[in-house]
Amino acid sequence: MNNPDNMLNIALPKGRLGEKVLAMFEKAGFECPAIHETGRKLIFENPEKGVRYFWVKPSDVSIYVERGAADIGVAGKDILLEYRPDVYELLDLGIGVCRMAVAAKKDFRDDTARTLRVATKFSNITKNYYASMGREIDIIHLNGSIEIAPILGLSDVIVDIVETGTTLKENNLEVVETVVPISARLIANKSSFKFKNSIIEAVSAGIAQQLARTEENK
Amino acid sequence: MDLCESVFKYEERAVYELRSLYRRYGYLPYKMSKFEEYDLYVRNKDFLISDNIITFTDTDGKLMALKPDVTLSIIKNTGDTAGGVHKVCYDENVYRITKGAGGFRELMQVGLECIGDIDSYGIYEVLMLAAESLSRISEEYVLDISHLGILSEIIDASGVSESTKGELLKKIGEKNMHEIDALCNAEGCDPSAIKKLVSLYGAPSEVLPEIKGMLTGDSGDEFNEFESILMLLCKNGYKDNIRIDFSVVNDMNYYNGVVFKGFVRGIASGVLSGGQYDKLMQKMGRSACAIGFAVYMDMLERFNTGADEYDVDAMLLYDDGCDINALSDAVKLFSAGGKSVMVQKVIPDKIKYKQLLKINERGVEILENNE
């Protein structure tokens, strides 16, 4: 297990969600004491268990996994739908639950005779969603503060992630319809799945067990 | 021909190795034009990996395309021979958009196609050559094999509607059990058999008995053929490298029967892909069966990168007053020994050499030895 090539590389999303995910991996029997020490290190190993963890920007996890720099990782379904990486999606972790939704100003009336102007960070999801309804749209790609677009008249509606809806409410916006429910998924590189199969299956089974238990307790 | 090993890039050598492998089994080289009538691709757009095609108008006004695919051209240009099989191999550039490139790329593809009366032996031979091809690239390889006939029997038995099948196949390709669940439950179907089939992953000897127990319908003959081919592969030394994996899916409008994908350790995505495509043949108005595969050589570009540590074997320095006769003799001596030598007055930046030499009145002196 000491050969670095044989270690399982795991990309974790930085932030609160990542901490939860790490706890799941540790509970599955793949703990890594080094990761809890304070410092500026970016990569943490536990050679005994054969795992190597690293934190990356949540939206980058799927890139690391698709290109094989990480063997497995945890990414939001929003990212998987937007970038469509060629990976295995092994588990729905049931955390980071939210939804992709269309939102508009409270007094918004949809004029179907006109092209709908949609501001979003998620261009592909938006394109596919409206294409499935045959609606013509004008996509305005923004990188943040999407909520401001309808208020300033930049767009008619927005497509964005809605967790509690508080931000929308404070800006006098409301959800018009849900596009797709979102949660965190365990993903695996297709090639790694063949060559590190037993450890990937073990991690996946260990986490699946925890999910089944929480499901029972519901 | 006098070739020194180091002139070959890794993927170039692989091309020659694969070509000689296919020749050894009687596959005849097939050379084709870079261009093809655009019409050929429009009619079979979904068969292509990416439907973006470079087109141009020929002098006679015909719309032409730089070929994005080799298989369609081969089918178009090989006739039927009753009872016989056309066996061809190729190494060709194709032009298509790849993820991350942001535009068209020229990609080298090596492969083979069998067109005609394909029986169990024909399928075995192609699978065996696929495994052999992978073994030439790396000792650590896996050939994942699936059977669309068996998969579609299990899907049909679950009662999923036609319109959901495409989406379902995508989920099967992702081994996405939770969404297979969701799709089936939404239609009131039982996902358990599909999920079981997709979760099976392993050597034929472990997985085949499990599949046998699941089949009740009419794919019995297909299963028996599949089993006998896989057992023959195992017997002939490929048992540690072949895996049954029903998440290998290709478009069922074109493919049927055996489909497969090859992986080697260290390359993040599949390097080989193939299968039986009788349905594509039917769409093109042909009655013959067909099977083939392609190896994506562009994937090998980053493989084995540690190979070339040095740019040249020797750096030979000389001064203005140097006798060019002596210099040319020294160079001749090196290249006769199969070594590469760069002649310079001053050492250029960022060139890595094994030996640094200098020529003067006394002869050639070794100044530095990095080996």
Side-chain angles (χ1 to χ4, degrees):
Chain A
M1 271 294 172
N2 283 327
N3 180 350
D5 251 336
N6 283 329
M7 298 264 275
L8 186 70
N9 292 313
I10 305 171
L12 296 172
K14 249 186 241 168
R16 229 172 351 134
L17 178 71
E19 299 289 345
K20 273 193 205 172
V21 170
L22 177 62
M24 291 175 109
F25 278 98
E26 296 196 305
K27 232 170 140 189
F30 295 88
E31 65 274 1
C32 181
I35 205 166
H36 298 290
E37 292 161 13
T38 46
R40 283 168 177 267
K41 265 175 77 170
L42 296 169
I43 299 175
F44 308 90
E45 287 180 6
N46 183 356
E48 218 171 279
K49 299 280 180 180
V51 288
R52 178 188 294 127
Y53 289 98
F54 45 89
W55 300 106
V56 301
K57 195 173 168 171
S59 54
D60 289 343
V61 170
S62 68
I63 299 172
Y64 282 82
V65 174
E66 185 182 26
R67 295 191 168 244
D71 300 310
I72 60 173
V74 172
K77 186 67 187 176
D78 50 332
I79 300 300
L80 300 178
L81 287 170
E82 181 64 21
Y83 298 107
R84 300 205 168 268
D86 186 19
V87 295
Y88 290 133
E89 187 180 319
L90 300 177
L91 289 174
D92 181 346
L93 300 181
I95 54 173
V97 177
C98 55
R99 58 187 165 146
M100 185 70 62
V102 181
K105 282 204 285 191
K106 283 203 169 120
D107 56 0
F108 171 68
R109 219 190 97 255
D110 189 2
D111 181 359
T112 49
R114 288 206 285 188
T115 304
L116 189 69
R117 296 172 304 156
V118 191
T120 187
K121 245 195 283 192
F122 301 94
S123 300
N124 288 330
I125 295 178
T126 304
K127 224 185 291 169
N128 292 335
Y129 176 66
Y130 283 102
S132 74
M133 300 194 300
R135 183 75 198 267
E136 201 172 319
I137 57 164
D138 178 12
I139 291 189
I140 303 158
H141 188 96
L142 298 177
N143 294 305
S145 309
I146 317 287
E147 295 84 4
I148 210 171
I151 301 169
L152 296 179
L154 177 63
S155 75
D156 301 316
V157 298
I158 62 171
V159 169
D160 205 10
I161 287 172
V162 180
E163 226 167 311
T164 56
T166 322
T167 323
L168 291 181
K169 213 176 277 170
E170 280 173 8
N171 289 295
N172 208 29
L173 301 172
E174 62 181 7
V175 169
V176 181
E177 57 215 330
T178 298
V179 177
V180 60
I182 304 288
S183 58
R185 310 292 162 101
L186 176 67
I187 57 173
N189 176 272
K190 287 194 170 180
S191 182
S192 302
F193 189 84
K194 326 285 167 198
F195 298 102
K196 298 180 183 176
N197 187 260
S198 55
I199 187 167
I200 292 179
E201 301 257 34
V203 171
S204 176
I207 294 175
Q209 230 169 38
Q210 296 169 42
L211 296 175
R213 232 174 283 143
T214 36
E215 194 65 27
E216 270 171 33
N217 294 337
K218 260 184 193 169
Chain B
M1 222 190 319
D2 174 27
L3 291 178
C4 69
E5 276 282 293
S6 62
V7 302
F8 287 112
K9 279 194 265 177
Y10 182 76
E11 62 272 26
E12 284 171 342
R13 183 165 31 215
V15 169
Y16 292 112
E17 251 186 71
L18 294 181
R19 191 196 286 168
S20 64
L21 169 68
Y22 307 150
R23 288 301 298 272
R24 219 171 303 145
Y25 285 84
Y27 286 76
L28 304 178
Y30 190 94
K31 184 78 203 151
M32 62 198 92
S33 152
K34 276 192 168 42
F35 316 135
E36 192 69 70
E37 277 183 43
Y38 179 65
D39 201 36
L40 176 67
Y41 303 113
V42 185
R43 279 181 275 131
N44 302 289
K45 243 183 173 171
D46 295 335
F47 179 74
L48 304 173
I49 293 174
S50 130
D51 57 9
N52 287 292
I53 299 169
I54 304 177
T55 55
F56 64 96
T57 316
D58 213 344
T59 46
D60 58 0
K62 245 187 214 153
L63 190 59
M64 303 295 283
L66 250 72
K67 63 182 178 342
D69 165 88
V70 175
T71 309
L72 287 172
S73 305
I74 292 182
I75 299 174
K76 197 188 93 182
N77 297 323
T78 45
D80 289 333
T81 38
V85 180
H86 279 290
K87 297 187 176 190
V88 296
C89 63
Y90 61 85
D91 46 275
E92 290 283 336
N93 283 317
V94 295
Y95 303 85
R96 60 173 171 242
I97 289 180
T98 58
K99 219 175 183 177
F104 282 98
R105 278 186 65 196
E106 182 181 58
L107 306 168
M108 175 54 112
Q109 204 170 297
V110 180
L112 58 84
E113 310 286 347
C114 272
I115 295 173
D117 189 12
I118 310 287
D119 56 5
S120 298
Y121 177 77
I123 299 171
Y124 160 77
E125 187 179 84
V126 169
L127 284 171
M128 181 273 292
L129 285 171
E132 273 300 317
S133 305
L134 291 168
S135 78
R136 303 294 152 102
I137 295 166
S138 165
E139 278 172 23
E140 288 187 277
Y141 72 93
V142 164
L143 183 64
D144 277 356
I145 307 176
S146 169
H147 194 293
L148 292 180
I150 294 169
L151 180 63
S152 69
E153 188 202 312
I154 297 287
I155 292 176
D156 289 342
S158 75
V160 177
S161 70
E162 278 302 314
S163 55
T164 323
K165 267 187 196 167
E167 190 63 23
L168 184 64
L169 277 181
K170 218 184 282 168
K171 301 303 168 200
I172 290 172
E174 292 171 0
K175 291 185 189 280
N176 193 335
M177 303 297 177
H178 42 280
E179 286 181 11
I180 293 174
D181 255 339
L183 273 177
C184 290
N185 290 337
E187 298 206 337
C189 306
D190 179 15
S192 55
I194 300 175
K195 281 168 64 184
K196 183 172 177 204
L197 193 67
V198 177
S199 67
L200 293 173
Y201 178 77
S205 56
E206 297 161 23
V207 177
L208 283 169
E210 300 229 26
I211 303 171
K212 200 169 192 173
M214 294 173 70
L215 296 174
T216 50
D218 41 40
S219 60
D221 288 347
E222 282 184 294
F223 176 79
N224 291 338
E225 185 184 43
F226 190 48
E227 185 178 35
S228 64
I229 291 168
L230 291 179
M231 294 327 281
L232 184 58
L233 283 166
C234 290
K235 196 189 109 200
N236 287 341
Y238 303 102
K239 89 175 174 332
D240 296 330
N241 299 91
I242 57 173
R243 297 276 176 276
I244 294 182
D245 183 351
F246 281 90
S247 79
V248 178
V249 284
N250 282 343
D251 191 332
M252 286 206 190
N253 291 318
Y254 296 97
Y255 289 93
N256 62 297
V258 174
V259 291
F260 48 95
K261 233 180 188 111
F263 295 85
V264 298
R265 194 181 191 124
I267 298 181
S269 50
V271 295
L272 180 151
S273 171
Q276 281 177 274
Y277 51 90
D278 301 350
K279 287 189 180 166
L280 172 65
M281 295 292 286
Q282 285 160 20
K283 273 180 199 283
M284 294 180 75
R286 301 279 299 274
S287 57
C289 299
I291 181 170
F293 65 80
V295 185
Y296 307 119
M297 303 312 286
D298 58 299
M299 301 276 188
L300 307 185
E301 206 180 80
R302 299 224 145 250
F303 199 48
N304 211 15
T305 40
D308 271 347
E309 258 187 85
Y310 297 98
D311 297 305
V312 287
D313 291 321
M315 174 75 67
L316 180 57
L317 299 177
Y318 69 101
D319 288 327
D320 276 336
C322 174
D323 170 19
I324 64 163
N325 273 314
L327 185 58
S328 84
D329 284 346
V331 170
K332 221 189 276 173
L333 208 63
F334 266 105
S335 58
K339 284 188 172 173
S340 58
V341 56
M342 183 189 275
V343 181
Q344 292 280 5
K345 272 190 207 165
V346 286
I347 305 172
D349 281 347
K350 291 181 182 164
I351 293 280
K352 288 195 86 178
Y353 43 82
K354 284 184 191 163
Q355 273 190 327
L356 181 64
L357 307 146
K358 183 153 184 154
I359 188 161
N360 52 31
E361 317 76 65
R362 294 184 298 278
V364 175
E365 263 180 287
I366 299 176
L367 300 182
E368 218 179 283
N369 220 335
N370 293 323
E371 238 174 334

